[in-house]
Amino acid sequence: MNSPMLLEALRELEREKGISVDESISILEKAIMSAYKNKTGERNVEIVINRLSGEIEAYQLLEVVDKVENENLQISLDDALKIKSDAVIGDIVKKKMNIKKLGRFAVQVAKQVLIQKIREIEKEKQYERYSDLVQRVVVAEILKVTPEWLDIRIGKLETHLPQKEWIPGETFEQSDFIKVYVREVKKDKKGPKIIVSRTDPEFVVGLLKLEVPEIEQGIVEIVKVVREPGVRTKIAVLSKDPKIDPVGACIGHEGARIAAVLRELKNEKIDVIKWSQDPKELIANALLPASVVEVEILDYESKASRVLVSPSQLSLAIGKAGQNARLAAKLTGWKIDIKPLMNM
């Protein structure tokens, strides 16, 4: 790499990667100087790359003394004055070295540093690009299916979807496209590492955001979401516009919006309920799809309640293995004791 080629390479780096020529030159100067010192053991050396020509120049830093005892570290006043006209005893002067002493070594170091810097910049840009995906649902291509994980690709970045992050019971095929929730993007030596999930409650929120523009616009707010992956999700929503029904907005015309979400979740059920500051109304809503006859507040301080339902609604209110009641309690923050009306 000759001098003009070096400058052109740095200009190209500036155009494509956004790192200035001056910054690249400073990096190269330090790298070549450090490598040269490590190779030769000479510590009093300075490397300068000419900003106009691209020429690599090397200087020996010498102390001006009356009597030279070490030519590698000192220079006489007479010789120093030939380099610096106002030199005095004790000064440090820069004596230009024969560039051939550096030889191909400097060029090799420059190339290595440039390549490394380009990789670092590309990793940083890739990290910034994928960091924008955090807390969003994105499409991923399945590259490989194993019992323990999926190898998937998001854009140009490959990652794993561990089996524990699959929705229970779902199966996959190579080359399929699936949606995943991006939990986090970490910096790694090999580049950004993206952490994804299909079991996170926010996965359902992200799916709804894709289908319900009112959520993205901030008109409909998701107040809370609780989930048992593969079984049921409950989402509480409210509207900031009295003319818009938040539940209806999420369900869509003839259930079109929620149907798109359900297709991605396979057999998992979703209850979208209206949030309320009134605990009685909130608890009754949270037990949907069951119909509630009455909600009694037993203790506001400990948040204990009793819910009365008709006998025909009891099993629906409790849910299989208690999941409907359990999720309703998580969603509301209230203890819910469900009783059939006839037993009261």
Side-chain angles (χ1 to χ4, degrees):
M1 182 186 294
N2 56 35
S3 301
M5 285 178 64
L6 174 60
L7 279 182
E8 182 53 38
L10 297 183
R11 293 190 190 104
E12 186 67 19
L13 185 61
E14 183 175 47
R15 286 191 293 269
E16 291 188 3
K17 308 299 180 182
I19 178 171
S20 71
V21 172
D22 277 345
E23 186 179 352
S24 294
I25 287 177
S26 295
I27 293 168
L28 289 177
E29 288 172 340
K30 291 175 184 176
I32 295 171
M33 183 164 62
S34 176
Y36 181 78
K37 286 179 179 179
N38 290 337
K39 183 180 180 181
T40 64
E42 297 178 16
R43 317 313 295 173
N44 59 325
V45 174
E46 182 177 289
I47 303 297
V48 176
I49 298 176
N50 191 294
R51 265 61 173 173
L52 297 177
S53 66
E55 181 184 355
I56 301 174
E57 301 169 350
Y59 294 91
Q60 195 174 22
L61 306 182
L62 301 172
E63 183 184 3
V64 181
V65 295
D66 279 323
K67 183 179 180 181
V68 175
E69 296 178 354
N70 187 334
E71 291 184 351
N72 290 324
L73 300 175
Q74 300 169 332
I75 187 173
S76 68
L77 179 59
D78 288 342
D79 289 338
L81 289 170
K82 296 174 185 177
I83 299 170
K84 184 182 176 186
S85 60
D86 59 348
V88 295
I89 300 297
D91 277 355
I92 301 294
V93 297
K94 298 179 181 181
K95 181 182 179 182
K96 194 167 185 177
M97 298 168 59
N98 187 345
I99 194 64
K100 290 181 180 179
K101 194 172 182 179
L102 286 173
R104 295 181 179 178
F105 173 74
V107 175
Q108 290 171 350
V109 171
K111 284 183 177 179
Q112 291 169 1
V113 170
L114 283 177
I115 291 169
Q116 181 62 31
K117 190 62 183 177
I118 289 170
R119 287 175 180 166
E120 289 175 4
I121 292 168
E122 288 176 341
K123 286 178 186 177
E124 187 61 33
K125 286 193 173 184
Q126 196 177 44
Y127 173 78
E128 291 173 359
R129 180 164 64 252
Y130 284 96
S131 291
D132 290 340
L133 301 180
V134 173
Q135 298 184 343
R136 288 173 56 187
V137 168
V138 298
V139 175
E141 180 185 3
I142 299 176
L143 303 176
K144 182 180 178 182
V145 181
T146 78
E148 292 81 25
W149 69 80
L150 300 180
D151 285 334
I152 62 174
R153 180 165 53 214
I154 300 169
K156 295 182 179 180
L157 188 65
E158 295 183 11
T159 188
H160 291 324
L161 177 66
Q163 192 272 340
K164 66 179 182 178
E165 300 297 337
W166 303 359
I167 299 171
E170 67 181 341
T171 58
F172 303 96
E173 296 289 339
Q174 186 176 336
S175 300
D176 281 353
F177 288 88
I178 59 170
K179 291 186 175 73
V180 294
Y181 175 72
V182 180
R183 276 181 174 161
E184 185 181 2
V185 177
K186 296 181 177 179
K187 286 188 175 182
D188 188 79
K189 291 180 180 179
K190 295 181 179 180
K193 184 178 180 181
I194 190 166
I195 311 300
V196 295
S197 173
R198 284 175 60 83
T199 62
D200 197 300
E202 291 298 321
F203 177 54
V204 184
V205 173
L207 291 174
L208 270 174
K209 286 180 178 179
L210 293 175
E211 303 296 333
V212 185
E214 290 87 350
I215 296 176
E216 278 293 292
Q217 295 163 6
I219 300 171
V220 172
E221 177 186 347
I222 296 175
V223 181
K224 193 171 182 181
V225 56
V226 292
R227 185 185 186 200
E228 292 187 5
V231 181
R232 192 173 219 106
T233 293
K234 287 184 179 288
I235 297 178
V237 296
L238 62 81
S239 175
K240 297 179 180 180
D241 185 341
K243 296 178 182 178
I244 294 179
D245 171 21
V247 176
C250 293
I251 302 301
H253 181 62
E254 297 183 348
R257 290 176 174 178
I258 201 70
V261 176
L262 289 169
R263 280 194 296 271
E264 190 66 36
L265 298 178
K266 313 306 181 196
N267 296 319
E268 187 172 325
K269 296 177 174 62
I270 301 179
D271 300 323
V272 182
I273 68 127
K274 186 176 182 180
W275 178 266
S276 175
Q277 294 294 341
D278 180 352
K280 290 185 178 182
E281 183 181 357
L282 179 61
I283 292 166
N285 291 345
L287 285 168
L288 288 172
S291 297
V292 171
V293 175
E294 185 181 353
V295 177
E296 298 176 352
I297 302 300
L298 303 179
D299 189 330
Y300 277 97
E301 188 173 343
S302 63
K303 289 193 169 184
S305 70
R306 179 186 294 125
V307 174
L308 306 179
V309 298
S310 66
S312 64
Q313 293 289 302
L314 183 61
S315 62
L316 188 60
I318 294 172
K320 186 177 180 180
Q323 49 86 6
N324 194 59
R326 185 165 56 249
L327 285 173
K330 288 181 180 179
L331 188 72
T332 61
W334 282 76
K335 300 171 187 174
I336 303 173
D337 182 22
I338 302 173
K339 298 291 185 182
L341 186 60
M342 62 173 56
N343 291 345
M344 296 302 296

